[in-house]
Short mmCIF file of all heavy atoms in Angstrom, two decimals:
data_model
loop_
_atom_site.label_atom_id
_atom_site.label_comp_id
_atom_site.label_asym_id
_atom_site.label_seq_id
_atom_site.Cartn_x
_atom_site.Cartn_y
_atom_site.Cartn_z
N MET A 228 -42.44 -83.72 -16.98
CA MET A 228 -43.39 -84.75 -17.43
C MET A 228 -43.82 -85.66 -16.23
O MET A 228 -43.10 -85.76 -15.29
CB MET A 228 -42.72 -85.59 -18.54
CG MET A 228 -43.63 -86.49 -19.23
SD MET A 228 -44.61 -85.61 -20.47
CE MET A 228 -45.57 -86.93 -21.13
N ILE A 229 -44.90 -86.28 -16.36
CA ILE A 229 -45.39 -87.11 -15.28
C ILE A 229 -44.65 -88.45 -15.25
O ILE A 229 -44.23 -88.96 -16.31
CB ILE A 229 -46.92 -87.34 -15.50
CG1 ILE A 229 -47.62 -87.75 -14.21
CG2 ILE A 229 -47.24 -88.31 -16.59
CD1 ILE A 229 -49.11 -87.61 -14.30
N LYS A 230 -44.39 -88.95 -14.09
CA LYS A 230 -43.62 -90.17 -13.91
C LYS A 230 -44.45 -91.38 -14.14
O LYS A 230 -45.66 -91.37 -13.98
CB LYS A 230 -42.93 -90.19 -12.55
CG LYS A 230 -41.91 -89.15 -12.35
CD LYS A 230 -41.21 -89.29 -11.02
CE LYS A 230 -40.16 -88.22 -10.89
NZ LYS A 230 -39.47 -88.36 -9.57
N ASN A 231 -43.82 -92.49 -14.42
CA ASN A 231 -44.55 -93.75 -14.60
C ASN A 231 -45.29 -94.17 -13.30
O ASN A 231 -46.41 -94.72 -13.38
CB ASN A 231 -43.58 -94.89 -15.01
CG ASN A 231 -43.11 -94.76 -16.42
OD1 ASN A 231 -43.70 -94.05 -17.27
ND2 ASN A 231 -41.99 -95.41 -16.70
N LYS A 232 -44.65 -93.91 -12.15
CA LYS A 232 -45.28 -94.22 -10.90
C LYS A 232 -46.66 -93.53 -10.80
O LYS A 232 -47.64 -94.14 -10.35
CB LYS A 232 -44.36 -93.89 -9.75
CG LYS A 232 -44.91 -94.15 -8.39
CD LYS A 232 -43.90 -93.94 -7.28
CE LYS A 232 -43.46 -92.50 -7.29
NZ LYS A 232 -42.65 -92.13 -6.11
N HIS A 233 -46.69 -92.26 -11.13
CA HIS A 233 -47.93 -91.50 -10.99
C HIS A 233 -48.99 -92.00 -11.99
O HIS A 233 -50.18 -92.04 -11.64
CB HIS A 233 -47.63 -90.01 -11.24
CG HIS A 233 -46.72 -89.44 -10.18
ND1 HIS A 233 -45.58 -88.80 -10.54
CD2 HIS A 233 -46.75 -89.49 -8.84
CE1 HIS A 233 -44.94 -88.38 -9.46
NE2 HIS A 233 -45.62 -88.78 -8.41
N LEU A 234 -48.58 -92.38 -13.17
CA LEU A 234 -49.48 -92.93 -14.14
C LEU A 234 -50.07 -94.21 -13.68
O LEU A 234 -51.28 -94.48 -13.86
CB LEU A 234 -48.85 -93.03 -15.52
CG LEU A 234 -48.56 -91.79 -16.26
CD1 LEU A 234 -47.77 -92.04 -17.54
CD2 LEU A 234 -49.79 -91.02 -16.61
N LEU A 235 -49.24 -95.05 -13.06
CA LEU A 235 -49.77 -96.31 -12.59
C LEU A 235 -50.74 -96.13 -11.44
O LEU A 235 -51.76 -96.82 -11.31
CB LEU A 235 -48.61 -97.22 -12.16
CG LEU A 235 -47.79 -97.81 -13.35
CD1 LEU A 235 -46.62 -98.58 -12.76
CD2 LEU A 235 -48.64 -98.68 -14.18
N ILE A 236 -50.46 -95.13 -10.56
CA ILE A 236 -51.37 -94.87 -9.47
C ILE A 236 -52.74 -94.34 -10.01
O ILE A 236 -53.76 -94.83 -9.56
CB ILE A 236 -50.77 -93.80 -8.53
CG1 ILE A 236 -49.61 -94.41 -7.77
CG2 ILE A 236 -51.82 -93.25 -7.57
CD1 ILE A 236 -48.79 -93.43 -6.97
N LEU A 237 -52.70 -93.46 -11.02
CA LEU A 237 -53.95 -93.03 -11.67
C LEU A 237 -54.70 -94.13 -12.35
O LEU A 237 -55.89 -94.23 -12.28
CB LEU A 237 -53.61 -91.96 -12.68
CG LEU A 237 -53.19 -90.56 -12.15
CD1 LEU A 237 -52.75 -89.68 -13.32
CD2 LEU A 237 -54.31 -89.94 -11.36
N PHE A 238 -53.94 -95.12 -12.95
CA PHE A 238 -54.57 -96.26 -13.52
C PHE A 238 -55.30 -97.07 -12.52
O PHE A 238 -56.41 -97.56 -12.73
CB PHE A 238 -53.57 -97.09 -14.31
CG PHE A 238 -54.16 -98.22 -15.08
CD1 PHE A 238 -54.83 -97.92 -16.30
CD2 PHE A 238 -54.06 -99.53 -14.62
CE1 PHE A 238 -55.40 -99.00 -17.02
CE2 PHE A 238 -54.64 -100.52 -15.30
CZ PHE A 238 -55.30 -100.27 -16.53
N PHE A 239 -54.63 -97.36 -11.37
CA PHE A 239 -55.26 -98.17 -10.34
C PHE A 239 -56.52 -97.48 -9.76
O PHE A 239 -57.49 -98.15 -9.39
CB PHE A 239 -54.28 -98.58 -9.26
CG PHE A 239 -53.28 -99.59 -9.74
CD1 PHE A 239 -51.95 -99.43 -9.57
CD2 PHE A 239 -53.74 -100.78 -10.29
CE1 PHE A 239 -51.03 -100.37 -10.00
CE2 PHE A 239 -52.86 -101.75 -10.74
CZ PHE A 239 -51.50 -101.54 -10.59
N VAL A 240 -56.43 -96.15 -9.57
CA VAL A 240 -57.58 -95.43 -9.05
C VAL A 240 -58.75 -95.54 -10.04
O VAL A 240 -59.89 -95.78 -9.65
CB VAL A 240 -57.22 -93.93 -8.80
CG1 VAL A 240 -58.48 -93.10 -8.55
CG2 VAL A 240 -56.29 -93.87 -7.59
N ALA A 241 -58.46 -95.41 -11.32
CA ALA A 241 -59.53 -95.60 -12.38
C ALA A 241 -60.03 -96.98 -12.34
O ALA A 241 -61.28 -97.21 -12.51
CB ALA A 241 -58.95 -95.22 -13.73
N MET A 242 -59.20 -97.97 -12.10
CA MET A 242 -59.64 -99.36 -12.05
C MET A 242 -60.58 -99.60 -10.84
O MET A 242 -61.61 -100.28 -10.94
CB MET A 242 -58.41 -100.30 -11.94
CG MET A 242 -58.76 -101.78 -12.15
SD MET A 242 -57.35 -102.82 -11.93
CE MET A 242 -56.19 -102.12 -13.06
N ILE A 243 -60.26 -98.96 -9.72
CA ILE A 243 -61.15 -99.03 -8.56
C ILE A 243 -62.49 -98.38 -8.87
O ILE A 243 -63.51 -98.93 -8.42
CB ILE A 243 -60.41 -98.37 -7.34
CG1 ILE A 243 -59.27 -99.26 -6.87
CG2 ILE A 243 -61.44 -98.20 -6.21
CD1 ILE A 243 -58.38 -98.63 -5.91
N LEU A 244 -62.47 -97.25 -9.56
CA LEU A 244 -63.74 -96.61 -9.95
C LEU A 244 -64.60 -97.56 -10.82
O LEU A 244 -65.83 -97.62 -10.70
CB LEU A 244 -63.49 -95.35 -10.67
CG LEU A 244 -63.28 -94.08 -9.83
CD1 LEU A 244 -62.93 -92.89 -10.73
CD2 LEU A 244 -64.51 -93.81 -9.01
N VAL A 245 -63.95 -98.29 -11.74
CA VAL A 245 -64.69 -99.17 -12.59
C VAL A 245 -65.31 -100.31 -11.81
O VAL A 245 -66.50 -100.68 -11.99
CB VAL A 245 -63.79 -99.73 -13.70
CG1 VAL A 245 -64.43 -100.89 -14.45
CG2 VAL A 245 -63.41 -98.66 -14.66
N VAL A 246 -64.60 -100.84 -10.81
CA VAL A 246 -65.08 -101.93 -10.03
C VAL A 246 -66.30 -101.47 -9.17
O VAL A 246 -67.27 -102.13 -9.06
CB VAL A 246 -63.98 -102.55 -9.16
CG1 VAL A 246 -64.54 -103.50 -8.14
CG2 VAL A 246 -62.98 -103.29 -10.04
N ILE A 247 -66.07 -100.27 -8.54
CA ILE A 247 -67.20 -99.72 -7.77
C ILE A 247 -68.40 -99.44 -8.64
O ILE A 247 -69.58 -99.65 -8.23
CB ILE A 247 -66.71 -98.47 -6.98
CG1 ILE A 247 -65.69 -98.90 -5.91
CG2 ILE A 247 -67.85 -97.80 -6.31
CD1 ILE A 247 -65.01 -97.76 -5.21
N GLY A 248 -68.20 -98.90 -9.80
CA GLY A 248 -69.26 -98.60 -10.72
C GLY A 248 -70.01 -99.86 -11.14
O GLY A 248 -71.25 -99.85 -11.21
N ALA A 249 -69.26 -100.95 -11.36
CA ALA A 249 -69.91 -102.20 -11.70
C ALA A 249 -70.75 -102.71 -10.51
O ALA A 249 -71.89 -103.23 -10.70
CB ALA A 249 -68.86 -103.23 -12.08
N LEU A 250 -70.29 -102.57 -9.32
CA LEU A 250 -71.01 -102.98 -8.10
C LEU A 250 -72.26 -102.11 -8.01
O LEU A 250 -73.36 -102.70 -7.71
CB LEU A 250 -70.16 -102.83 -6.85
CG LEU A 250 -70.81 -103.16 -5.55
CD1 LEU A 250 -71.13 -104.59 -5.50
CD2 LEU A 250 -69.96 -102.77 -4.37
N PHE A 251 -72.14 -100.84 -8.20
CA PHE A 251 -73.33 -99.95 -8.15
C PHE A 251 -74.40 -100.39 -9.22
O PHE A 251 -75.57 -100.38 -8.95
CB PHE A 251 -72.93 -98.51 -8.35
CG PHE A 251 -72.62 -97.78 -7.13
CD1 PHE A 251 -71.67 -98.17 -6.22
CD2 PHE A 251 -73.35 -96.56 -6.86
CE1 PHE A 251 -71.39 -97.42 -5.07
CE2 PHE A 251 -73.08 -95.83 -5.72
CZ PHE A 251 -72.09 -96.29 -4.86
N LYS A 252 -73.90 -100.73 -10.40
CA LYS A 252 -74.82 -101.09 -11.44
C LYS A 252 -75.48 -102.45 -11.21
O LYS A 252 -76.70 -102.61 -11.41
CB LYS A 252 -74.09 -101.13 -12.77
CG LYS A 252 -74.95 -101.24 -13.97
CD LYS A 252 -74.30 -100.47 -15.12
CE LYS A 252 -75.18 -100.58 -16.36
NZ LYS A 252 -76.22 -99.62 -16.35
N ILE A 253 -74.75 -103.39 -10.68
CA ILE A 253 -75.31 -104.70 -10.36
C ILE A 253 -76.30 -104.63 -9.22
O ILE A 253 -77.37 -105.24 -9.33
CB ILE A 253 -74.20 -105.70 -10.04
CG1 ILE A 253 -73.31 -106.04 -11.28
CG2 ILE A 253 -74.76 -106.96 -9.45
CD1 ILE A 253 -72.09 -106.80 -10.97
N MET A 254 -75.98 -103.81 -8.22
CA MET A 254 -76.86 -103.75 -7.06
C MET A 254 -77.99 -102.67 -7.21
O MET A 254 -78.81 -102.50 -6.33
CB MET A 254 -76.08 -103.44 -5.83
CG MET A 254 -75.00 -104.47 -5.52
SD MET A 254 -75.66 -106.08 -5.17
CE MET A 254 -76.48 -105.82 -3.61
N HIS A 255 -77.93 -101.91 -8.33
CA HIS A 255 -78.92 -100.86 -8.62
C HIS A 255 -78.86 -99.79 -7.50
O HIS A 255 -79.95 -99.29 -7.12
CB HIS A 255 -80.34 -101.40 -8.76
CG HIS A 255 -80.47 -102.43 -9.81
ND1 HIS A 255 -80.50 -102.13 -11.17
CD2 HIS A 255 -80.68 -103.79 -9.76
CE1 HIS A 255 -80.61 -103.21 -11.88
NE2 HIS A 255 -80.76 -104.23 -11.10
N TRP A 256 -77.67 -99.45 -7.11
CA TRP A 256 -77.50 -98.42 -6.07
C TRP A 256 -77.42 -97.06 -6.73
O TRP A 256 -76.99 -96.89 -7.86
CB TRP A 256 -76.21 -98.66 -5.24
CG TRP A 256 -76.28 -99.83 -4.35
CD1 TRP A 256 -77.41 -100.48 -3.91
CD2 TRP A 256 -75.19 -100.49 -3.72
NE1 TRP A 256 -77.05 -101.51 -3.07
CE2 TRP A 256 -75.70 -101.49 -2.89
CE3 TRP A 256 -73.79 -100.25 -3.70
CZ2 TRP A 256 -74.88 -102.32 -2.17
CZ3 TRP A 256 -73.01 -101.05 -2.94
CH2 TRP A 256 -73.55 -102.08 -2.19
N GLU A 257 -77.81 -96.03 -5.91
CA GLU A 257 -77.58 -94.62 -6.35
C GLU A 257 -77.22 -93.88 -5.07
O GLU A 257 -77.82 -93.99 -4.04
CB GLU A 257 -78.85 -94.10 -6.91
CG GLU A 257 -78.73 -92.67 -7.41
CD GLU A 257 -80.01 -92.20 -8.09
OE1 GLU A 257 -80.89 -93.00 -8.38
OE2 GLU A 257 -80.07 -91.01 -8.32
N PHE A 258 -76.17 -93.07 -5.24
CA PHE A 258 -75.70 -92.27 -4.07
C PHE A 258 -75.64 -90.79 -4.45
O PHE A 258 -74.81 -90.37 -5.23
CB PHE A 258 -74.29 -92.71 -3.66
CG PHE A 258 -73.76 -91.99 -2.45
CD1 PHE A 258 -74.31 -92.24 -1.19
CD2 PHE A 258 -72.71 -91.12 -2.62
CE1 PHE A 258 -73.77 -91.56 -0.08
CE2 PHE A 258 -72.19 -90.48 -1.51
CZ PHE A 258 -72.70 -90.68 -0.25
N THR A 259 -76.62 -90.05 -3.96
CA THR A 259 -76.78 -88.62 -4.29
C THR A 259 -76.66 -88.31 -5.78
O THR A 259 -75.92 -87.44 -6.19
CB THR A 259 -75.81 -87.75 -3.49
OG1 THR A 259 -74.48 -88.08 -3.85
CG2 THR A 259 -75.98 -87.95 -1.97
N GLY A 260 -77.36 -89.08 -6.59
CA GLY A 260 -77.37 -88.86 -8.03
C GLY A 260 -76.23 -89.55 -8.78
O GLY A 260 -76.27 -89.54 -10.00
N VAL A 261 -75.32 -90.16 -8.07
CA VAL A 261 -74.20 -90.87 -8.77
C VAL A 261 -74.66 -92.29 -8.91
O VAL A 261 -74.91 -93.03 -7.93
CB VAL A 261 -72.92 -90.80 -7.90
CG1 VAL A 261 -71.82 -91.60 -8.57
CG2 VAL A 261 -72.49 -89.34 -7.74
N THR A 262 -74.69 -92.73 -10.15
CA THR A 262 -75.09 -94.15 -10.47
C THR A 262 -73.92 -94.96 -10.95
O THR A 262 -72.82 -94.41 -11.14
CB THR A 262 -76.22 -94.15 -11.48
OG1 THR A 262 -75.71 -93.60 -12.69
CG2 THR A 262 -77.44 -93.40 -11.05
N GLY A 263 -74.16 -96.21 -11.17
CA GLY A 263 -73.12 -97.05 -11.73
C GLY A 263 -72.66 -96.63 -13.08
O GLY A 263 -71.50 -96.74 -13.46
N ASN A 264 -73.60 -96.09 -13.90
CA ASN A 264 -73.26 -95.58 -15.23
C ASN A 264 -72.23 -94.50 -15.19
O ASN A 264 -71.26 -94.50 -15.97
CB ASN A 264 -74.50 -95.12 -15.95
CG ASN A 264 -75.42 -96.28 -16.36
OD1 ASN A 264 -75.00 -97.37 -16.48
ND2 ASN A 264 -76.70 -95.93 -16.45
N THR A 265 -72.38 -93.51 -14.26
CA THR A 265 -71.45 -92.41 -14.21
C THR A 265 -70.07 -92.90 -13.75
O THR A 265 -69.04 -92.45 -14.27
CB THR A 265 -71.97 -91.32 -13.35
OG1 THR A 265 -72.29 -91.82 -12.06
CG2 THR A 265 -73.24 -90.68 -13.95
N LEU A 266 -70.06 -93.77 -12.76
CA LEU A 266 -68.81 -94.26 -12.21
C LEU A 266 -68.06 -95.08 -13.26
O LEU A 266 -66.84 -94.99 -13.44
CB LEU A 266 -69.01 -95.10 -10.96
CG LEU A 266 -69.41 -94.29 -9.70
CD1 LEU A 266 -69.78 -95.25 -8.60
CD2 LEU A 266 -68.33 -93.33 -9.29
N LEU A 267 -68.79 -95.94 -14.04
CA LEU A 267 -68.16 -96.71 -15.05
C LEU A 267 -67.62 -95.83 -16.15
O LEU A 267 -66.53 -96.03 -16.69
CB LEU A 267 -69.20 -97.70 -15.64
CG LEU A 267 -69.45 -98.93 -14.87
CD1 LEU A 267 -70.61 -99.70 -15.42
CD2 LEU A 267 -68.25 -99.86 -14.82
N SER A 268 -68.36 -94.78 -16.54
CA SER A 268 -67.96 -93.93 -17.59
C SER A 268 -66.68 -93.11 -17.16
O SER A 268 -65.68 -93.05 -17.96
CB SER A 268 -69.05 -92.87 -17.90
OG SER A 268 -70.20 -93.52 -18.40
N ILE A 269 -66.68 -92.59 -15.97
CA ILE A 269 -65.48 -91.89 -15.52
C ILE A 269 -64.30 -92.75 -15.39
O ILE A 269 -63.18 -92.44 -15.83
CB ILE A 269 -65.84 -91.18 -14.14
CG1 ILE A 269 -66.83 -90.07 -14.34
CG2 ILE A 269 -64.56 -90.60 -13.53
CD1 ILE A 269 -67.38 -89.53 -13.02
N GLY A 270 -64.54 -93.97 -14.86
CA GLY A 270 -63.40 -94.91 -14.70
C GLY A 270 -62.83 -95.35 -16.02
O GLY A 270 -61.61 -95.41 -16.18
N LEU A 271 -63.67 -95.72 -16.96
CA LEU A 271 -63.15 -96.17 -18.25
C LEU A 271 -62.52 -95.05 -19.09
O LEU A 271 -61.49 -95.33 -19.74
CB LEU A 271 -64.32 -96.86 -19.06
CG LEU A 271 -64.77 -98.16 -18.48
CD1 LEU A 271 -66.02 -98.64 -19.19
CD2 LEU A 271 -63.71 -99.21 -18.55
N LEU A 272 -63.06 -93.90 -19.01
CA LEU A 272 -62.43 -92.79 -19.71
C LEU A 272 -61.07 -92.45 -19.13
O LEU A 272 -60.11 -92.19 -19.79
CB LEU A 272 -63.30 -91.54 -19.69
CG LEU A 272 -64.49 -91.55 -20.62
CD1 LEU A 272 -65.41 -90.35 -20.41
CD2 LEU A 272 -64.03 -91.54 -22.08
N SER A 273 -61.01 -92.52 -17.79
CA SER A 273 -59.68 -92.23 -17.08
C SER A 273 -58.69 -93.30 -17.46
O SER A 273 -57.51 -93.02 -17.71
CB SER A 273 -59.91 -92.27 -15.58
OG SER A 273 -60.79 -91.27 -15.19
N GLU A 274 -59.12 -94.59 -17.53
CA GLU A 274 -58.17 -95.61 -17.90
C GLU A 274 -57.70 -95.42 -19.34
O GLU A 274 -56.46 -95.61 -19.63
CB GLU A 274 -58.83 -96.97 -17.76
CG GLU A 274 -58.94 -97.50 -16.39
CD GLU A 274 -59.53 -98.92 -16.33
OE1 GLU A 274 -59.95 -99.43 -17.39
OE2 GLU A 274 -59.59 -99.48 -15.23
N ALA A 275 -58.56 -95.02 -20.21
CA ALA A 275 -58.16 -94.79 -21.63
C ALA A 275 -57.13 -93.67 -21.74
O ALA A 275 -56.18 -93.77 -22.49
CB ALA A 275 -59.39 -94.50 -22.49
N ILE A 276 -57.39 -92.59 -21.00
CA ILE A 276 -56.48 -91.47 -21.01
C ILE A 276 -55.09 -91.86 -20.50
O ILE A 276 -54.04 -91.49 -21.01
CB ILE A 276 -57.06 -90.28 -20.21
CG1 ILE A 276 -58.27 -89.71 -20.98
CG2 ILE A 276 -56.03 -89.20 -20.00
CD1 ILE A 276 -59.05 -88.69 -20.17
N VAL A 277 -55.05 -92.63 -19.39
CA VAL A 277 -53.78 -93.01 -18.78
C VAL A 277 -53.05 -93.98 -19.71
O VAL A 277 -51.87 -93.87 -19.88
CB VAL A 277 -54.02 -93.67 -17.40
CG1 VAL A 277 -52.78 -94.34 -16.92
CG2 VAL A 277 -54.54 -92.66 -16.40
N ILE A 278 -53.79 -94.83 -20.39
CA ILE A 278 -53.11 -95.75 -21.35
C ILE A 278 -52.48 -94.96 -22.52
O ILE A 278 -51.37 -95.24 -22.90
CB ILE A 278 -54.10 -96.82 -21.86
CG1 ILE A 278 -54.38 -97.82 -20.71
CG2 ILE A 278 -53.57 -97.54 -23.06
CD1 ILE A 278 -55.52 -98.82 -21.00
N VAL A 279 -53.22 -94.00 -23.00
CA VAL A 279 -52.66 -93.11 -24.09
C VAL A 279 -51.36 -92.43 -23.62
O VAL A 279 -50.41 -92.36 -24.30
CB VAL A 279 -53.74 -92.13 -24.63
CG1 VAL A 279 -53.11 -91.12 -25.51
CG2 VAL A 279 -54.78 -92.92 -25.38
N LEU A 280 -51.47 -91.83 -22.38
CA LEU A 280 -50.30 -91.20 -21.89
C LEU A 280 -49.11 -92.12 -21.67
O LEU A 280 -47.96 -91.74 -21.91
CB LEU A 280 -50.69 -90.53 -20.50
CG LEU A 280 -51.55 -89.27 -20.62
CD1 LEU A 280 -51.94 -88.79 -19.20
CD2 LEU A 280 -50.89 -88.19 -21.37
N LEU A 281 -49.38 -93.37 -21.23
CA LEU A 281 -48.32 -94.33 -21.06
C LEU A 281 -47.70 -94.69 -22.43
O LEU A 281 -46.47 -94.81 -22.53
CB LEU A 281 -48.81 -95.59 -20.39
CG LEU A 281 -48.81 -95.63 -18.86
CD1 LEU A 281 -49.50 -96.82 -18.34
CD2 LEU A 281 -47.41 -95.53 -18.34
N ILE A 282 -48.52 -94.86 -23.46
CA ILE A 282 -47.97 -95.17 -24.77
C ILE A 282 -47.18 -94.03 -25.30
O ILE A 282 -46.05 -94.23 -25.88
CB ILE A 282 -49.12 -95.45 -25.72
CG1 ILE A 282 -49.78 -96.82 -25.39
CG2 ILE A 282 -48.68 -95.52 -27.20
CD1 ILE A 282 -51.09 -97.09 -26.09
N ILE A 283 -47.57 -92.81 -25.08
CA ILE A 283 -46.82 -91.60 -25.53
C ILE A 283 -45.49 -91.62 -24.78
O ILE A 283 -44.48 -91.33 -25.38
CB ILE A 283 -47.62 -90.35 -25.33
CG1 ILE A 283 -48.80 -90.27 -26.34
CG2 ILE A 283 -46.73 -89.12 -25.46
CD1 ILE A 283 -49.77 -89.16 -26.10
N LYS A 284 -45.50 -91.83 -23.48
CA LYS A 284 -44.30 -91.74 -22.68
C LYS A 284 -43.32 -92.87 -23.11
O LYS A 284 -42.15 -92.61 -23.17
CB LYS A 284 -44.66 -91.88 -21.23
CG LYS A 284 -43.43 -91.78 -20.29
CD LYS A 284 -43.86 -91.42 -18.88
CE LYS A 284 -42.70 -91.32 -18.00
NZ LYS A 284 -41.79 -90.27 -18.34
N ILE A 285 -43.84 -94.05 -23.37
CA ILE A 285 -42.94 -95.15 -23.77
C ILE A 285 -42.29 -94.87 -25.13
O ILE A 285 -41.10 -95.13 -25.34
CB ILE A 285 -43.71 -96.47 -23.77
CG1 ILE A 285 -43.98 -96.90 -22.34
CG2 ILE A 285 -42.93 -97.54 -24.50
CD1 ILE A 285 -44.89 -98.11 -22.22
N THR A 286 -43.11 -94.35 -26.10
CA THR A 286 -42.53 -94.11 -27.38
C THR A 286 -41.56 -92.96 -27.42
O THR A 286 -40.67 -92.92 -28.25
CB THR A 286 -43.69 -93.87 -28.46
OG1 THR A 286 -44.50 -92.85 -27.95
CG2 THR A 286 -44.47 -95.14 -28.58
N ARG A 287 -41.76 -91.95 -26.57
CA ARG A 287 -40.85 -90.74 -26.56
C ARG A 287 -39.63 -90.98 -25.69
O ARG A 287 -38.67 -90.21 -25.80
CB ARG A 287 -41.59 -89.57 -26.06
CG ARG A 287 -42.60 -89.07 -27.08
CD ARG A 287 -43.09 -87.74 -26.76
NE ARG A 287 -44.03 -87.28 -27.84
CZ ARG A 287 -44.65 -86.17 -27.80
NH1 ARG A 287 -44.44 -85.36 -26.78
NH2 ARG A 287 -45.45 -85.81 -28.79
N ASP A 288 -39.63 -91.98 -24.80
CA ASP A 288 -38.48 -92.23 -23.93
C ASP A 288 -37.41 -93.02 -24.62
O ASP A 288 -37.60 -94.24 -24.86
CB ASP A 288 -38.93 -92.96 -22.69
CG ASP A 288 -37.89 -92.97 -21.60
OD1 ASP A 288 -36.90 -92.21 -21.73
OD2 ASP A 288 -37.96 -93.77 -20.66
N ASN A 289 -36.35 -92.34 -25.04
CA ASN A 289 -35.32 -93.06 -25.82
C ASN A 289 -34.26 -93.66 -24.90
O ASN A 289 -33.41 -94.42 -25.37
CB ASN A 289 -34.64 -92.06 -26.78
CG ASN A 289 -35.56 -91.60 -27.83
OD1 ASN A 289 -36.48 -92.31 -28.23
ND2 ASN A 289 -35.38 -90.37 -28.30
N LYS A 290 -34.27 -93.33 -23.61
CA LYS A 290 -33.24 -93.86 -22.70
C LYS A 290 -33.42 -95.36 -22.51
O LYS A 290 -32.38 -96.11 -22.51
CB LYS A 290 -33.31 -93.14 -21.34
CG LYS A 290 -33.01 -91.70 -21.43
CD LYS A 290 -33.24 -90.99 -20.10
CE LYS A 290 -33.04 -89.47 -20.26
NZ LYS A 290 -33.47 -88.81 -19.04
N SER A 291 -34.60 -95.79 -22.31
CA SER A 291 -34.82 -97.22 -22.17
C SER A 291 -35.10 -97.80 -23.56
O SER A 291 -35.93 -97.29 -24.30
CB SER A 291 -35.98 -97.53 -21.24
OG SER A 291 -37.21 -97.10 -21.84
N GLY A 292 -34.46 -98.93 -23.84
CA GLY A 292 -34.64 -99.55 -25.15
C GLY A 292 -35.81 -100.48 -25.13
O GLY A 292 -35.76 -101.60 -25.64
N PHE A 293 -36.93 -100.02 -24.58
CA PHE A 293 -38.12 -100.89 -24.43
C PHE A 293 -38.66 -101.36 -25.77
O PHE A 293 -38.97 -102.55 -25.90
CB PHE A 293 -39.19 -100.11 -23.64
CG PHE A 293 -40.47 -100.93 -23.44
CD1 PHE A 293 -40.50 -101.89 -22.51
CD2 PHE A 293 -41.59 -100.69 -24.23
CE1 PHE A 293 -41.66 -102.61 -22.30
CE2 PHE A 293 -42.73 -101.38 -24.01
CZ PHE A 293 -42.82 -102.39 -23.05
N LEU A 294 -38.73 -100.46 -26.74
CA LEU A 294 -39.29 -100.85 -28.03
C LEU A 294 -38.22 -101.59 -28.94
O LEU A 294 -38.63 -102.17 -29.92
CB LEU A 294 -39.83 -99.65 -28.74
CG LEU A 294 -41.01 -98.97 -28.10
CD1 LEU A 294 -41.37 -97.69 -28.79
CD2 LEU A 294 -42.19 -99.88 -28.03
N ASN A 295 -37.00 -101.50 -28.63
CA ASN A 295 -35.94 -102.05 -29.43
C ASN A 295 -35.52 -103.45 -29.01
O ASN A 295 -34.66 -104.04 -29.62
CB ASN A 295 -34.72 -101.15 -29.47
CG ASN A 295 -34.98 -99.80 -30.09
OD1 ASN A 295 -35.78 -99.73 -30.98
ND2 ASN A 295 -34.31 -98.75 -29.61
N LYS A 296 -36.12 -103.93 -27.91
CA LYS A 296 -35.74 -105.28 -27.45
C LYS A 296 -36.51 -106.36 -28.15
O LYS A 296 -37.61 -106.20 -28.60
CB LYS A 296 -36.04 -105.41 -25.91
CG LYS A 296 -35.01 -104.54 -25.13
CD LYS A 296 -35.29 -104.70 -23.68
CE LYS A 296 -34.29 -103.85 -22.86
NZ LYS A 296 -34.50 -103.97 -21.49
#
């Protein structure tokens, strides 16, 4: 299974994509067909997927009493 460290790295990469996408959208930039809309969509979908994976990992991990505290 994927480690928490890897999921957090993926989350931060997706967050950077969202910020860059917002900058592209505000400045009306386009780079070889890539617009702010596509960067925002990819970043937000990636963040949603990582959050779902983190929730699944936390609920299935019985070693840490995270939910029982």
Side-chain angles (χ1 to χ4, degrees):
M228 189 79 182
I229 202 164
K230 294 184 179 181
N231 287 342
K232 178 174 63 171
H233 297 127
L234 287 174
L235 289 175
I236 290 171
L237 288 174
F238 185 76
F239 287 128
V240 168
M242 191 183 307
I243 290 169
L244 275 176
V245 169
V246 170
I247 292 172
L250 178 67
F251 268 57
K252 192 145 179 84
I253 290 169
M254 300 299 291
H255 303 287
W256 288 345
E257 184 177 347
F258 182 71
T259 62
V261 177
T262 62
N264 290 334
T265 55
L266 289 174
L267 283 170
S268 298
I269 292 170
L271 289 173
L272 285 173
S273 300
E274 283 183 355
I276 291 169
V277 170
I278 288 172
V279 168
L280 289 174
L281 272 172
I282 289 171
I283 290 171
K284 184 161 177 62
I285 287 172
T286 55
R287 289 193 178 178
D288 189 17
N289 294 331
K290 294 175 189 171
S291 67
F293 180 76
L294 296 175
N295 296 328
K296 289 183 182 179

